[in-house]
Amino acid sequence: MAIYIVKRLAAAVATILVIMAITFFLMNTIPGSPFLTEKSTPQQIELANQKYGLDKPLIVQFKNYIVNYAHGDLGVSLKMQEGTPVKKILFGQGKFVLSIKLGVCALLVAICLGIPLGCLAAYKRGTWIDGLLRVLTTVGVAIPTFVLASTLLVAFAVKLNWLPTLSGSLDSWKAYIMPVISLSFYDVCYIAKLTRTSMLDAINQDYIRTAKAKGVKNKWIVLKHALRNSLIPVITFLGPLAAFIITGSFVVETIFSVPGLGKYFIQSVINRDYTIIMATTVVVSVLVIVMNLVVDIAYKIVDPRITLSSTDE
Amino acid sequence: MKQAFAKFSPFQVDPEKVWADYELNYSDFEPATDAEKESVSEVRQSVSYWRDAARRFRKNTVSMVALFVFLAILVFAFLGPLLIPYDYANQYRSSQKLGPFEYSKQEALIKSIEGEVDCMFATALQPGSVTALDPGDYYFKYKGDTYSFSLDAKLADSVIVLKDGDLSIVKQSDISNGQIKKSTPLEYTSEVPDGAKQLKVESKVFPHVVGTDSQGRDILARTMYGARVSIIIGIVAALIVLIIGSIYGAISGLCGGTVDFVMMRIVELIYSVPEVLIVLLLQVVLKDPLQAWFDSSNSWFANALSTLGAGIVSIFITFGLLYWVTLARIVRGQVLMLKKQEFVTAATALGASNGRIIRRHLLPNCVGQLVITTCLQIPAAIFLESFLSFLGLGVSAPMASLGSLCSDALGTLTLYPYRLLFPGAILTIIVLSLNLVGDGLRDALDPRLKK
C-alpha cells in the first residue's frame, strides 16, 4: 500500500510537470504580451519584460517556474493586479475558496442525495417511484448546467423573488442554494442512475440469495450487503467528478456572478497573465490528481479484492 | 407389453383394448406434401447480427420514440429554415426585442399592388417616421389613380415612406443601402376619393414565433441554425474521436509490451489533465494562428475549414487531442480480448500484417462497441461545444450554436427568459434523445450487457 502510494505520488509529480510544460507552451503561443496596451511603447514593454524575466529564453523561463513552484512560490501577477503575489490573489481574496466552497457543497449534495435515490429506485424496482426517478435522472443528465441554472434564476430569483439574483461572495446561506443545485444536479442524477444499475447487479448475486435465505430483512440486505458491493462504480465516478464540478462551476459562476476561480481563469487567459494561468492550472491539476488518488485508495477500502499495483483491467 | 406401450404413448390408451381394436386411419400414413413439410419446418433463414440488433432496437419503445424525436429535431434544424421567411444572420430593422408572436409596427408587407409598383414597403428608413404610419386608412394618388389601403398596428414594412413630412412611394428597387434614390410623393387625403382602388393588405405576416433579439434577428431562425451547427459539430467531433481512438486503441492493444505501456501512460496522462482549463487555453491559443492560416492558404482544405470558422475548427482539434482516450481504452480492451482468439492466430500464421489484422479482423469485431460509444459521444460533444460557446469561446458571431445563443441571451435573462430557455430546451431535447438512442443501441448491439 505504502509503496503504491509513493509510486502514485511520483507519477503525480511527473504528470504535473508535463501539465506545466503543456500550459507553458500553450500560453506562450498566444499572440500578444501581458504588457501590450494601446499606450505602451516598445521600451516600456521591454522594461516590463526584463522586470518579470520574460526576456529570457523560454527554456530558462520554464526552469524558473519549476524551481519557484518547488519552493511554493507562485510568482506575482503580471497584469490583472500587477505586482500582487498570485498566491494572495487565488487563496487570499477568496477566488479559490469560493470555488472550493461551491464545489464541496455540490459534491456532498451529489453523494448524499444521489446514492440514497439510487438505492430507493433499486429497492422499489418496478414501482412508480422507480419509474419517476428513472425519468427524472434520464432527463437530468441531458440538461446542460447553464440551462438549469438560468431556469432556476428566472423562476426563484426573478419571478418568485425568494432568492437573491447575484450570489456574489456567498455571504448568506440563501446565496448557496441555486449555485449548488445547478452544480450538483447532473451529478445527483448520474450517481442515482449508476447506483441503481450496480445495485440491481448486486441484488442478483448469490450472496444476496443466501442472505435472504437466512431471513435477513429486505432493508438490511439492500443497505448492508448490496450497497457496499454496488458502490465501486460510484466511487470510480467520484474521481472525474472533481473535474466535472470545476467545469460546471465556470458556468455557474458566470450566471450567478460569483467571483470564483473559473471566471478569473478565463480573464487571465484573455489578459495573458501568464503567472495566473500557470498557477490556476497547476492548482486545479493537483486537486484532480489528489482526488483520483483518494478514489483509488477508497476502492481498496471498499473492496479488498482489488489489487492496487496493476492498473490494467 | 401393452402396459409398457401405454407408458410411452402420448395418447390415452385403454388398457382393456387390444392393439387391433384401434381403428387405423390410413390417411395418417401417407407421405406429407411439400406444403405440409414447410408448415412444420423449424429451419429459418439465419438472422444476421445487424438484423437481429435492428429487431431488438425496434422493440425498445423508449429508444424508438427518442429516435423519432431526434429525427424531428433534424427536420427542424435542416428543413425548418426553408419554411420560415427569416434568415439567421439578418438583422430585421425596427423589429428588435419583439416578444413571441409580436409584430413590429412596420412589419407587414403590403402586397399585390397592381401596376408598376410591384412591391410596397412601409419601413422606417428614417427615425421618427414610424409615427406617421399609425393604424388607419390611407389613400394616395399614384400615376393618376387613387389607391387606398388600411393599416393595422401590426402592419407595414416597405413602400410607404415618410420623408420630410410627406408620404411618398418608393419602389423597392429604388432603395439601396437604406438610401432612397427615387421617390414619388403621395397625396394624403382624409376622405375616400371616388374610384379609389383597394389595395390588398397582407395582414398575415409570418410571426416571430419566439420573438427577436436585441439586434432584430429572428430567434426561431437562429435556433434552427444553431441546432444545425451544434448537431454537425457533435457528429464530426464524434467521428474524429472514433478515428483517433480506435486506431490508437487497436495499435496499443495489438502491439502490447513496451508500446502498450507507453501508449497507456500517455492515455493516463491525458486523463489526469484538467481538460477544461486546457480546452479554454487551446481555444484562445488556436484562434489567431488558425485565422492567419485561413487567410494565407488557398488550398481547398483551408477554404473548407475557414467557412466553419476558427472557433469550430479549434473545437475539433480539442476533441482530436483530448477526448479520444475513453474510446481508445474501450478498443484496447476489446482488442486484448480478441487477439487471443483463434482467427487472429490463423491470420498471423497466414502472414497477415498487423495493419491488415487490425483492419480486417479486430475493428470489425468491435464495431458494436464503436457504434455505441460514438453515438453516446455525439451528445457529449454537443454538451462541450455548448459549454465553450456559452463561455464566449467556440462559435463566434454571426454564426450561432445553441450554446452561443444561450450565452447571448444571458445578459437579458431577467427580461427575456425565453430567449435562453428556447434554445436551451432544444439543446436538452437533442442530448436527451441521443442519449436514449445510444442506450437503445447498447441494448440492441450488446445483448450481453442487458440485465
Side-chain angles (χ1 to χ4, degrees):
Chain A
M1 186 79 164
I3 296 171
Y4 172 74
I5 294 177
V6 169
K7 256 188 190 170
R8 281 292 298 262
L9 284 176
V13 171
T15 312
I16 286 173
L17 281 179
V18 174
I19 290 172
M20 278 179 80
I22 296 171
T23 315
F24 183 80
F25 168 76
L26 282 180
M27 71 188 185
N28 276 294
T29 4
I30 311 176
S33 139
F35 311 116
L36 192 66
T37 58
E38 282 158 15
K39 284 181 241 161
S40 58
T41 60
Q43 286 87 350
Q44 279 173 325
I45 294 179
E46 209 168 301
L47 264 174
N49 276 344
Q50 271 174 14
K51 186 175 165 194
Y52 294 110
L54 296 186
D55 56 337
K56 295 189 179 115
L58 286 183
I59 189 82
V60 178
Q61 283 186 41
F62 184 55
K63 195 204 82 190
N64 287 344
Y65 267 115
I66 294 174
V67 171
N68 289 339
Y69 273 59
H71 289 93
D73 175 13
L74 304 184
V76 294
S77 168
L78 299 179
K79 186 169 186 188
M80 292 164 76
Q81 296 175 28
E82 210 189 317
T84 325
V86 174
K87 223 188 243 172
K88 204 175 146 199
I89 296 175
L90 289 186
F91 300 105
Q93 295 157 354
K95 303 248 149 33
F96 191 64
V97 177
L98 286 178
S99 291
I100 287 289
K101 269 184 187 168
L102 278 185
V104 169
C105 287
L107 199 64
L108 287 178
V109 170
I111 296 170
C112 299
L113 218 58
I115 294 177
L117 282 179
C119 291
L120 184 70
Y123 183 63
K124 300 265 179 190
R125 178 174 36 149
T127 64
W128 64 271
I129 297 180
D130 182 29
L132 181 75
L133 283 174
R134 216 152 125 195
V135 171
L136 205 72
T137 50
T138 312
V139 174
V141 294
I143 301 180
T145 315
F146 55 85
V147 175
L148 179 72
S150 26
T151 314
L152 288 177
L153 188 72
V154 170
F156 294 104
V158 180
K159 299 278 181 226
L160 296 172
N161 220 351
W162 289 350
L163 297 168
T165 335
L166 306 176
S167 290
S169 41
L170 303 172
D171 298 322
S172 75
W173 62 271
K174 276 185 173 178
Y176 275 95
I177 297 177
M178 289 193 294
V180 168
I181 292 179
S182 359
L183 204 49
S184 60
F185 191 70
Y186 176 90
D187 303 307
V188 169
C189 294
Y190 196 88
I191 290 180
K193 261 168 101 94
L194 215 58
T195 312
R196 179 184 179 273
T197 318
S198 58
M199 184 75 106
L200 290 182
D201 225 18
I203 279 175
N204 290 329
Q205 302 286 328
D206 290 342
Y207 56 83
I208 298 288
R209 201 182 330 118
T210 311
K212 262 186 197 157
K214 279 196 316 192
V216 181
K217 274 188 186 152
N218 216 355
K219 193 171 83 183
W220 292 116
I221 291 179
V222 170
L223 289 182
K224 269 198 89 167
H225 296 260
L227 182 61
R228 188 177 166 140
N229 284 289
S230 60
L231 275 184
I232 295 160
V234 180
I235 291 176
T236 320
F237 175 66
L238 292 183
L241 189 64
F244 274 139
I245 287 216
I246 289 161
T247 315
S249 82
F250 281 34
V251 167
V252 170
E253 282 165 20
T254 312
I255 292 176
F256 295 105
S257 314
V258 179
L261 196 66
K263 219 172 169 186
Y264 205 68
F265 179 74
I266 297 171
Q267 279 172 6
S268 68
V269 171
I270 291 165
N271 282 308
R272 286 134 187 73
D273 202 330
Y274 294 148
T275 45
I276 293 184
I277 300 176
M278 185 60 108
T280 318
T281 318
V282 170
V283 167
V284 175
S285 315
V286 169
L287 202 71
V288 173
I289 290 169
V290 168
M291 271 302 285
N292 278 329
L293 183 61
V294 170
V295 159
D296 281 356
I297 294 170
Y299 266 167
K300 177 82 183 160
I301 297 167
V302 172
D303 190 350
R305 285 171 303 181
I306 291 173
T307 48
L308 287 176
S309 48
S310 99
T311 45
D312 294 286
E313 49 266 40
Chain B
M1 182 67 198
K2 261 189 278 171
Q3 289 293 41
F5 179 76
K7 219 182 218 172
F8 292 112
S9 166
F11 307 107
Q12 283 295 313
V13 178
D14 188 347
E16 295 303 312
K17 279 187 178 177
V18 290
W19 182 236
D21 290 339
Y22 286 98
E23 272 188 41
L24 282 180
N25 188 355
Y26 287 99
S27 68
D28 284 349
F29 294 88
E30 277 171 16
T33 62
D34 281 348
E36 279 169 338
K37 276 182 191 166
E38 191 72 28
S39 71
V40 293
S41 169
E42 290 293 326
V43 183
R44 269 182 241 141
Q45 208 171 19
S46 67
V47 179
S48 76
Y49 172 65
W50 290 105
R51 190 170 294 174
D52 193 34
R55 203 193 58 211
R56 266 196 298 268
F57 188 82
R58 271 199 298 275
K59 270 192 191 162
N60 190 335
T61 327
V62 176
S63 298
M64 280 308 278
V65 171
L67 183 65
F68 281 110
V69 169
F70 184 64
L71 290 178
I73 292 275
L74 283 183
V75 170
F76 170 81
F78 287 87
L79 298 181
L82 304 175
L83 301 177
I84 60 167
Y86 302 111
D87 177 61
Y88 77 94
N90 202 347
Q91 303 180 359
Y92 294 92
R93 285 162 159 276
S94 70
S95 35
Q96 288 98 338
K97 299 182 186 171
L98 293 178
F101 288 101
E102 266 178 28
Y103 296 90
S104 71
K105 264 189 168 176
Q106 300 87 349
E107 195 169 57
L109 295 169
I110 302 168
K111 279 183 181 167
S112 4
I113 293 174
E114 286 150 50
E116 288 171 47
V117 188
D118 47 6
C119 186
M120 295 186 87
F121 278 84
T123 192
L125 290 178
Q126 288 179 345
S129 56
V130 188
T131 49
L133 288 173
D134 280 339
D137 294 333
Y138 291 87
Y139 310 95
F140 63 91
K141 277 184 179 168
Y142 180 70
K143 293 208 165 172
D145 284 331
T146 310
Y147 292 85
S148 76
F149 67 96
S150 60
L151 207 61
D152 48 280
K154 297 166 180 174
L155 287 185
D157 214 346
S158 282
V159 169
I160 321 282
V161 177
L162 184 81
K163 201 178 178 188
D164 307 327
D166 290 319
L167 273 176
S168 58
I169 194 157
V170 180
K171 280 194 207 171
Q172 202 183 19
S173 54
D174 288 332
I175 304 173
S176 64
N177 300 328
Q179 294 290 311
I180 301 164
K181 289 192 288 190
K182 204 172 82 183
S183 66
T184 316
L186 292 179
E187 287 175 26
Y188 180 78
T189 54
S190 53
E191 288 165 25
V192 186
D194 289 337
K197 292 179 181 171
Q198 181 69 41
L199 292 177
K200 271 190 215 159
V201 176
E202 188 84 10
S203 59
K204 282 282 172 203
V205 181
F206 195 86
H208 293 292
V209 179
V210 246
T212 56
D213 65 8
S214 320
Q215 271 98 49
R217 290 177 295 207
D218 184 71
I219 292 179
L220 182 67
R222 283 184 77 66
T223 306
M224 285 169 171
Y225 180 78
R228 192 166 50 179
V229 170
S230 290
I231 290 170
I232 292 175
I233 291 178
I235 291 173
V236 173
L239 288 179
I240 292 174
V241 167
L242 172 70
I243 293 166
I244 297 179
S246 53
I247 293 175
Y248 193 95
I251 292 175
S252 176
L254 189 66
C255 292
T258 321
V259 177
D260 183 37
F261 182 80
V262 173
M263 286 175 96
M264 279 302 115
R265 290 300 85 79
I266 294 173
V267 165
E268 269 168 29
L269 181 79
I270 294 178
Y271 251 116
S272 51
V273 165
E275 45 192 35
V276 177
L277 298 185
I278 300 294
V279 167
L280 289 174
L281 210 54
L282 267 177
Q283 287 283 314
V284 182
V285 168
L286 290 171
K287 209 152 204 168
D288 289 337
L290 276 176
Q291 201 57 53
W293 181 57
F294 292 155
D295 293 342
S296 62
S297 174
N298 270 326
S299 68
W300 64 269
F301 188 61
N303 285 334
L305 289 182
S306 72
T307 53
L308 289 173
I312 295 181
V313 175
S314 49
I315 287 180
F316 293 155
I317 295 179
T318 311
F319 266 88
L321 286 176
L322 292 179
Y323 284 84
W324 48 267
V325 284
T326 316
L327 193 101
R329 276 196 165 176
I330 291 172
V331 173
R332 175 177 169 270
Q334 291 272 313
V335 166
L336 281 182
M337 195 184 75
L338 288 169
K339 80 170 181 184
K340 289 179 196 132
Q341 295 188 2
E342 283 81 0
F343 62 88
V344 178
T345 319
T348 318
L350 287 169
S353 67
N354 275 349
R356 188 182 158 80
I357 290 177
I358 290 177
R359 264 182 290 115
R360 297 282 305 169
H361 299 283
L362 297 182
L363 288 182
N365 272 300
C366 353
V367 84
Q369 278 285 339
L370 293 180
V371 169
I372 296 162
T373 319
T374 307
C375 187
L376 290 172
Q377 189 76 51
I378 297 173
I382 292 176
F383 240 75
L384 183 80
E385 181 277 326
S386 69
F387 163 75
L388 286 173
S389 298
F390 186 80
L391 291 177
L393 303 156
V395 177
S396 50
M399 261 194 152
S401 77
L402 293 173
S404 75
L405 288 173
C406 291
S407 168
D408 292 345
L410 188 65
T412 53
L413 180 67
T414 47
L415 286 172
Y416 310 104
Y418 54 85
R419 285 191 200 164
L420 192 148
L421 298 184
F422 182 65
I426 297 287
L427 180 59
T428 308
I429 294 172
I430 293 177
V431 174
L432 180 63
S433 59
L434 280 173
N435 275 343
L436 291 174
V437 170
D439 285 349
L441 277 179
R442 180 170 46 210
D443 292 347
L445 290 174
D446 206 344
R448 280 167 303 169
L449 283 175
K450 191 160 183 172
K451 301 284 153 28

